[in-house]
Every structure is written in C-alpha cells, then in structure tokens.
Amino acid sequence: MATLRLPDVVPSPTQDSERLRVALQGWGVDQEVIIWILGHRKAVQRKKIKETYQQLFKESIIHCLQSTLSGVLGKAMSYWMEEPPERDAKLVEKTLKRGKAGITQLQVIVEIACASSPNHLMAVRQAYYSLFDCSLEEAITSKVSSSLQKVVHSLRYTSQNIYGFVISWYDRELVDLNVAKSEAAKLHEAIEKKQSDRDEVMWILSTRNFFQLRATFKHYKQNYQAIMSSGSDDLGSLLRVVILCIDAPEKHFAEVIRASLSGHRTDVHSLARAILARVEIDMMKIKEEYFNMNKVSLDDAVVRKTSGGYKDFLMTLIGARI
C-alpha cells in the first residue's frame, strides 16, 4: 500500500545526521544525498534523525532545510520532517488563517478528520492545542461559517466511533444493512433538497462508525444516482468530500493530485500535501486510481509537471525511478 522504500540496512540516526550535516554545510548543497536519506526513512526514523541532529549540532534540521534548500523543495522537505500530527495541525492553522474558510480550504480539514486513523486525529487535536494554545473546535468555530460548522464538527465523532470496531474489522454483523438502507434514503432526500445541514444528516455523520457509513454509501450508490454528482451548493460539495474521504480515500487523493497537476501551472503545494500525507499509507492504491482516471501513470505526470530537486523528492516518495 505504501510506496516509501527503506534500505535493507538502515543507518543509525547518528550516521544519517552526520551525512546530512555534510550535505547541508559543504561547499555546495548536496540535494541528492538529502533526498536519498530523508526520502527513504519512515516517520519514526525521521523523528530520531531530527532529535539526533539537534543533539549533535545544536541546531534544528528543519531550520537548516528551510534556509538551505530553495523554494518548494525546502518547504516540502521541512514539512516532511515534521511529525505527522504537528504537520497536519500546522496545515489546519494555515487553512484557517486565510479568513473565512470556504469549501476548498475546508477540504484539508475534512481529509485529516475523515481519511486518518482515530489515533492520528486525536494527536492532531493535541498538537494543535499545544502549538496554538487553542482547541481545534474553537478555531473552527471562529473561522468557519455557521452552516459549514455542523459538518466539520461532526467529523471528529465519526472518526472516534471507529474505536469499538477495530478488533472486529471483518465482522459483517457489526454493520446493520437495514440501517444503511434507511439512512441512505435520508441522505438522498437531504442532498436532493439541498438540505445537507439538516439534523438527520449531521446525526448520521456523527454517530455512525466508518464501516456502517461505508455500507450506507454503498447502498446509496446502488439505489440512487452517484453521491458525487448530487447537489451543487457548498454544503453538498463539502458533504461529497466527506463521503469520498470515508468511502474511498484513495479516489479522493487521486483527484486532488489530478487537480494539482492540471492546467498550465502546477499547484505544487496541494501536490506535495497529498503525496506527503499518503505516501506511508496508501499511495500505491492512489497511483492505481490515478491511472484509472487519467490513463497515464502518476510517475509520468510528476516528471512532466515538476522539475529539479522537488521532482526528485516526490518521485522518491512515490517509489518511482529517478
């Protein structure tokens, strides 16, 4: 599922830190070495490198990456070195600082809430409070329009409701098909009438675990028109993102990547955000979905639409040959 490739023998954090120091502080920045080391280390290994680098050289490796590497490569590499909960907390804050967040901005929050594990979501909330001295709920309330708040606030409960079902992942009896049928009808009615914020919809999203919701969405698609083509208002658009992130996150992120690579100018920030978020989770499935959507491989698309060290870094993360 993941595309991150680790070496057969992983050097110690000290060895990695010393090589990175030379690459960052030599006569010329050695991007190839930096990308090779950090692009082949999983999160727990990167955390140890960050701690060891600080201990050895009394300097933050993230600061060194930001100040030494130019442009989008420096930003992408520094985000990569953040611990995932802190990285997502900062992405949420950046989203909310843009003023009253709209659908495009809220998509980032929806991704974190609906396409992450409960443990990760809880860690993001804790990191957000630690970094910004404010709860995530308070921040959303102050920056998101009241009609959209209902959807966003309900998502934290949806993710939390998975806890009781992790052990019984394959127990189909935990999914009530009669409830799925009934609630699919309620969702259909709400979307058709453009009443996506009605209490019934919020109650379904906030009380059902992922497996029950997936059964509901499956029934919806079998009996009504595709959810993704239903409704055109802001709430309907946000609800479609919620549903896709819960039902098939690989399809959502494949679409995010497709959109970032479309047009004359590549959205380098959205592209990096999607890849960095999923490369240790389900990037292989995302690559398959991307090919199904576009009839071209993600590897080829990244080569055509990016360049330099940024291209090499993304290609390394998605398991492509440079």
Side-chain angles (χ1 to χ4, degrees), residues 1 5 7 18 26 28 30 33 38 92 105 142 144 160 173 183 187 200 207 230 247 261 266 280 284-285 293 321-322:
M1 294 266 286
R5 297 178 178 177
E18 290 173 344
D30 194 335
V33 169
L38 299 182
V92 171
Q105 291 76 29
S142 66
V144 179
Q160 290 168 0
E173 293 180 359
E183 294 184 345
L187 284 174
E200 286 179 330
T207 61
S230 300
D247 191 38
L261 292 171
T266 301
E280 296 182 83
M284 192 67 72
K285 293 178 69 175
M293 288 180 181
R321 293 187 177 183
I322 301 177

Side-chain angles (χ1 to χ4, degrees), residues 93-101 104-105 108 143 269:
E93 175 64 8
K94 183 178 179 180
T95 296
L96 295 176
K97 282 181 70 175
R98 294 174 180 171
K100 285 293 181 181
T104 303
Q105 291 76 29
V108 176
K143 295 293 185 180
H269 301 296

